Each structure stands twice: as C-alpha cells, then as structure tokens.
Amino acid sequence: MSLSDKNILVIEDDPGIADLLRLHLESEVGQLGFESNGTDGLAAAQTGVWDLLLLDLRLPGISGLDVCRTLRAEGHTLPVLMMTAKTGELDRVLGLEIGADDYITKPFSVIELLARVRAHLRRADLVSSAAERSVEGGPAINLGEVEIDPRTRVVRVRGESVDLTAREFDLLLHFAAHPQQVFRRSQLLDDVWGYGHEGYEHTVNAHINRLRAKIEKNPRKPELISTVWGVGYRFTPQSTVEVV
Amino acid sequence: MSLSDKNILVIEDDPGIADLLRLHLESEVGQLGFESNGTDGLAAAQTGVWDLLLLDLRLPGISGLDVCRTLRAEGHTLPVLMMTAKTGELDRVLGLEIGADDYITKPFSVIELLARVRAHLRRADLVSSAAERSVEGGPAINLGEVEIDPRTRVVRVRGESVDLTAREFDLLLHFAAHPQQVFRRSQLLDDVWGYGHEGYEHTVNAHINRLRAKIEKNPRKPELISTVWGVGYRFTPQSTVEVV
DNA sequence: TAGTTTTGTGAGGAATTGGTGACACTCCCG
DNA sequence: CGGGAGTGTCACCAATTCCTCACAAAACTA
C-alpha cells in the first residue's frame, strides 16, 4: 500500500512533537494538516476529507477526548489514533472507550507510530475494497432509472438493457456504490483503474463520455453523471417517476 | 455496543494466558474459540465466522506472523490483535506491517486488552453501519443556517440547496473551518488559492461578493460573511432560530 | 494469426469560470 | 461634514476546463 494519496490530520500542541511528525510523515503522505488546539482541530477534522487523525489528548481549548467524542457523535468514521504523555492505564482505556481506535503513549517510537498509522490506513483500504467486492457479487442495485446486476453485469436503464464494456461497467458500478459523492479524476483512476495506474486524467473524460452516450437520455445534457466544474464527476440517481 | 453477539477466536499456546482470557471474555462475548497451535488456529480462522482474532506471536506449528500473513493473503479482513512476550520494537513493527491491526505486549493489562478488543469491534460496527446509510452522504458540517457536505460538495442554506462554483465552495469551506476568525485578503489568497498564488487582493472581494449573493438572505446586509474594516472578512454562523 | 472489440491518446472547438478594471458607494477620521 | 482610503458591484474577456470525435494501441476472440 502506498500512503502517497492519504490525507492525515495532526492535532497536537507541542511544537516539538508536531515537527517530529511532520518530518517523518511529510514525504510519505499526500496531504498533511496540522492544528495546535482542540477548537481549530475539530473544525479541520469536520471540514476536511481526512483518512486518519493523530490526536493529542491534552490540548488547549477542547480536549482530545471531546474532539473524538464529538466526531463520533456526528457520525464520522475516520480512524483516530490518540497520543498522550499520560501513562495511566485508565487514560488509555478511557480514550479507547470514547471512540478512539488506537492509543500510543509519549515518548513513543516514531517507527512504531508509523507502523500503527500504516496499519490503520491499510485496514481502511482493506475494508473499503472488501465492501466494493461484496457489491460486485451482491444483489442487483436499483437506483431509480438505473438497475445494475453485479452478478451478470447486466445494466438496464429506463427498462432498456444496455451493453457496457468492462471499464464502463466498473465505472458505473463505482458511481452507483457512492451516489452523490464527487470524485476527482485522479480518484477514479485509483479506484476504478487501480492503484498506481499510469495514465492521463483525460482518459477518464473519454470513458465518462462513452458511458453517458449509453445511459443518458440526452448525452448533451447529462443528468445521471454530472460534471462538477473544476473538481470531477458526480452520479445522481434519478427517480423513475414519469413527468408527463 | 454489546459484545454479546460477537465471536472471538483466541490462538494462544500458554494455558495460563488462555485461561485468563477465557475468564474475562467468556461472560461478555458470544462465541469464544480457542486453539493452541498455529496449524489448527489457522484452520479455525479460515473456516469459522469470527469478528476478531487474538493471536499469539510465538506458536507451535505455524507462527503467528505466518497465520496473519496467510489470512491477509487470502483476503480475510477480520481484525487481528497480536500478543507477544517479546518487547522489541522491531517485533511490534513487523507484526503491524504483516497485516495485524494492533499489537500488545505481555504482560498486558487485561483491562487495556479488553478496551482494545472493544475498540476494534466497535470500529467494525461503525464501518458497516456507515456503509448502510452512505446513500444519504457522509456527515455534514452543520453551522446553523449553513450546511456543508465536503464529500458531495453540496451546500444548503436555510434548507435550500445552492450551487457554488469550485472556488466559491472552497472559500466557504475554509470559512466554515474557522468560524469567527478574521482573515486578511492575503491570507485567503494563500489558503484558498494556494500558497504563492500571484494575484490581486481585489480578486478576493469579487468572490466574497459572489458568495454573498448566493448564501446571504440580504446580500446588501451580509450576516454570514461580514466585513472587518481595514482587515478582511469573518464568517459568523447564524443560529437557525426563526425570528417571526 | 487475423479480425474485432475495447481502451487509451490527441487535437480542436465549446463552454464556464473567475480574474480584472472601472466606477459607485461606504465607512472612518479629522 | 468633507476627504480619502477601503469596499461593493458589475460586466467583460482571457484562461482554464471540459466535450467531442477520430485515430492508434492493446486486448480479446475465433
């Protein structure tokens, strides 16, 4: 697994440790965010799209525990790795009970921290790719006008069955598995074409174009797969209700 | 969360530790399986339906590392918690790199072990329940009148969804991430347009203007994004309370 | 292996965006 | 209350981004 496209947020008030983490993570990771207090940290966690949160327990403003608790209460599922100077067993347990996924005490070994970070990111990938695979073998997906049967790889749009090529099908299935979500071209290259696939983002355009030609009512005015200018594409299932 | 319907497999050759685990887990957990060597343990892990694996590193027969490696190679995604008497950092790192999700060294605190077990099971639940409701989109940031979903890039103001361009969205998101904070125009150019972006500060004005036109109730009297004279702009989330 | 389908790449044209300038307006301060 | 700096508004046009189509490369099939 590569960390190069992973976004990690660090909430830590000790500049020394923050620098240490920056030093070791910066080169390996995609985006690396730093916040030094609980209030800004929570906001950053809520607004950004992060793959992992490294969270100090002792923080000015909101405490690490509360940051974690709040995120979980709001339904965020991102992995949280707590760091703390406290060594008491009770603190460790409390952190885990509150919704953190892991706990490491300062002074920690950077190598071990990195290993744990990788372990969590790996698990997230494992789970999401397993979920994708379960969709592949699962029952038919019915999204308004579009009906997809992953087993037979048959797609029907507004009752008509359409022939899709392998790539087109994978692309559509990926969109259908994450409706409304906006994907950047680079993300689609990773998710549909596979990791580290060398190729132009423009390739995605071409396939979107072909897919639209096959499933859109009017390919000039796409409704199912819409363009998000400056970002990427989004799949919006259309209700099958007739507008007469 | 309750552990009562969770199945845990323990692969451990030391009868003392096995008993200790049995003592503490038996009453809390649904099914509890024990194996005392790597070969049988691997077979049990492959055939049974387990929610978590507690795995000793040193085992007769196949080693814990190999058990874990094999399971991962076969596509199993169940969480693996490694236990070992070794204290060397290298062993811990190796265990994690091989595909384990966590690592705890003997002698361990039973309370902490239980907390970590619960943390892993909780995460599994979190992920699966999040997958179910993923159709509605992920967690949105809710700031009074304004609601922002970074994953779908959908913004709703007072219930109405508004179309924002990429820049407008990024600008709003940045404000939402730091409510009440005053930003100078130069800072916004750095943060939203990207560091080292060449351009006039006046550009920020124009965008604020466009953003206001879309999200303010009365763009002539901005309430969400207010001007701080001589300095810059500030975002103030409004309570959604109706003033009738 | 030859033919056929699928996939990737390239170039030109179309569309949207958003930076910029001009000017009106507002706010602060003397 | 008047001057000036700072800010709001608007429209234009260039730059960016995207679409379309055609062709080449690759993969599959018979």
Side-chain angles (χ1 to χ4, degrees):
Chain A
M1 186 198 59
S2 145
L3 301 188
S4 60
D5 57 341
K6 297 295 177 184
N7 304 333
I8 297 184
L9 176 63
V10 179
I11 309 182
E12 165 67 71
D13 66 323
D14 181 334
I17 294 181
D19 281 350
L20 184 73
L21 293 174
R22 189 195 312 275
L23 185 70
H24 285 91
L25 289 172
E26 197 154 52
S27 57
E28 291 203 54
V29 142
Q31 268 215 340
L32 192 57
F34 282 92
E35 295 293 343
S36 57
N37 68 75
T39 318
D40 290 347
L42 178 60
Q46 288 167 328
T47 52
V49 180
W50 306 102
D51 297 298
L52 184 89
L53 173 59
L54 282 171
L55 180 61
D56 191 12
L57 184 69
R58 282 198 170 282
L59 285 173
I62 309 173
S63 85
L65 281 181
D66 286 334
V67 170
C68 184
R69 205 185 341 236
T70 306
L71 288 172
R72 287 292 182 252
E74 288 176 356
H76 290 264
T77 60
L78 93 162
V80 174
L81 203 165
M82 282 243 189
M83 309 174 288
T84 188
K86 294 188 178 181
T87 81
E89 171 188 283
L90 267 178
D91 293 308
R92 287 206 294 279
V93 171
L94 188 59
L96 292 171
E97 293 296 345
I98 224 85
D101 293 284
D102 205 344
Y103 208 98
I104 194 166
T105 48
K106 306 177 195 171
F108 49 74
S109 139
V110 173
I111 298 184
E112 180 177 348
L113 180 82
L114 283 174
R116 286 193 182 270
V117 164
R118 267 193 286 272
H120 286 289
L121 294 173
R122 183 162 14 82
R123 158 139 298 267
D125 273 2
L126 201 65
V127 169
S128 72
S129 70
E132 204 107 323
R133 263 183 280 114
S134 80
V135 168
E136 278 172 31
I141 306 173
N142 209 310
L143 295 159
E145 295 184 343
V146 184
E147 203 175 320
I148 307 172
D149 188 340
R151 267 190 279 254
T152 57
R153 295 178 78 90
V154 167
V155 174
R156 290 157 69 87
V157 183
R158 293 179 292 277
E160 306 258 325
S161 111
V162 283
D163 273 349
L164 296 186
T165 69
R167 268 295 136 79
E168 287 160 4
F169 183 86
D170 291 342
L171 193 57
L172 179 60
L173 189 62
H174 186 256
F175 273 120
H178 309 276
Q180 300 290 3
Q181 195 171 331
V182 177
F183 291 99
R184 327 192 132 270
R185 280 158 240 277
S186 59
Q187 246 173 309
L188 291 171
L189 278 176
D190 278 354
D191 297 347
V192 178
W193 274 255
Y195 264 143
H197 174 85
E198 304 277 330
Y200 295 63
E201 296 198 347
H202 173 67
T203 297
V204 178
N205 290 19
H207 281 265
I208 294 278
N209 187 31
R210 288 183 190 123
L211 191 53
R212 278 174 172 168
K214 290 185 180 177
I215 68 171
E216 294 282 356
K217 208 181 300 179
N218 177 5
R220 298 293 171 134
K221 288 198 162 201
E223 291 179 322
L224 292 166
I225 299 177
S226 48
T227 327
V228 182
W229 246 83
V231 188
Y233 298 98
R234 158 172 38 211
F235 178 73
T236 312
Q238 299 291 320
S239 82
T240 181
V241 179
E242 288 289 325
V243 183
V244 188
Chain B
M1 188 198 61
S2 147
L3 302 188
S4 59
D5 56 344
K6 298 294 178 185
N7 303 335
I8 298 183
L9 176 62
V10 180
I11 310 181
E12 165 68 73
D13 66 323
D14 181 334
I17 293 181
D19 281 349
L20 184 73
L21 293 174
R22 189 195 309 276
L23 183 70
H24 285 92
L25 289 172
E26 197 152 52
S27 56
E28 292 203 53
V29 141
Q31 269 216 342
L32 193 58
F34 282 93
E35 295 293 341
S36 58
N37 68 75
T39 319
D40 293 345
L42 180 58
Q46 286 167 328
T47 53
V49 179
W50 306 103
D51 297 298
L52 184 90
L53 173 58
L54 281 171
L55 180 60
D56 190 14
L57 184 69
R58 282 199 171 283
L59 284 174
I62 310 174
S63 85
L65 281 182
D66 286 332
V67 170
C68 183
R69 206 184 341 236
T70 307
L71 287 173
R72 288 291 182 253
E74 289 176 359
H76 290 89
T77 62
L78 94 161
V80 175
L81 203 165
M82 282 243 189
M83 308 173 290
T84 187
K86 293 189 179 178
T87 81
E89 171 188 285
L90 269 177
D91 293 306
R92 287 206 294 278
V93 171
L94 187 60
L96 292 170
E97 293 295 348
I98 225 86
D101 293 285
D102 205 344
Y103 208 97
I104 195 166
T105 47
K106 305 178 197 170
F108 49 75
S109 141
V110 174
I111 298 184
E112 180 176 348
L113 180 82
L114 283 174
R116 286 190 183 271
V117 165
R118 267 194 287 271
H120 286 290
L121 294 174
R122 182 158 17 79
R123 156 140 300 267
D125 277 0
L126 199 66
V127 169
S128 68
S129 71
E132 277 168 31
R133 53 164 210 276
S134 73
V135 181
E136 299 135 45
I141 313 158
N142 219 308
L143 296 157
E145 295 184 343
V146 185
E147 202 181 311
I148 309 173
D149 187 335
R151 292 184 350 137
T152 61
R153 296 180 78 93
V154 168
V155 175
R156 279 143 61 100
V157 184
R158 294 179 291 278
E160 303 262 323
S161 118
V162 283
D163 274 349
L164 297 186
T165 68
R167 272 271 194 275
E168 286 160 5
F169 183 87
D170 291 343
L171 191 58
L172 178 60
L173 192 62
H174 185 257
F175 274 119
H178 309 276
Q180 300 291 0
Q181 192 174 329
V182 180
F183 291 100
R184 337 195 118 268
R185 290 169 179 71
S186 58
Q187 222 170 331
L188 290 171
L189 279 176
D190 279 353
D191 297 347
V192 178
W193 274 254
Y195 182 77
H197 174 84
E198 306 273 331
Y200 295 64
E201 296 199 348
H202 174 67
T203 295
V204 178
N205 290 21
H207 280 268
I208 294 281
N209 182 36
R210 287 182 188 127
L211 192 52
R212 278 173 173 168
K214 290 185 180 178
I215 68 171
E216 294 283 358
K217 209 181 297 180
N218 177 5
R220 300 293 172 134
K221 287 196 160 202
E223 292 179 322
L224 293 166
I225 298 177
S226 46
T227 311
V228 182
W229 243 79
V231 188
Y233 299 98
R234 164 179 26 219
F235 179 72
T236 313
Q238 300 290 319
S239 86
T240 182
V241 179
E242 288 288 326
V243 183
V244 187

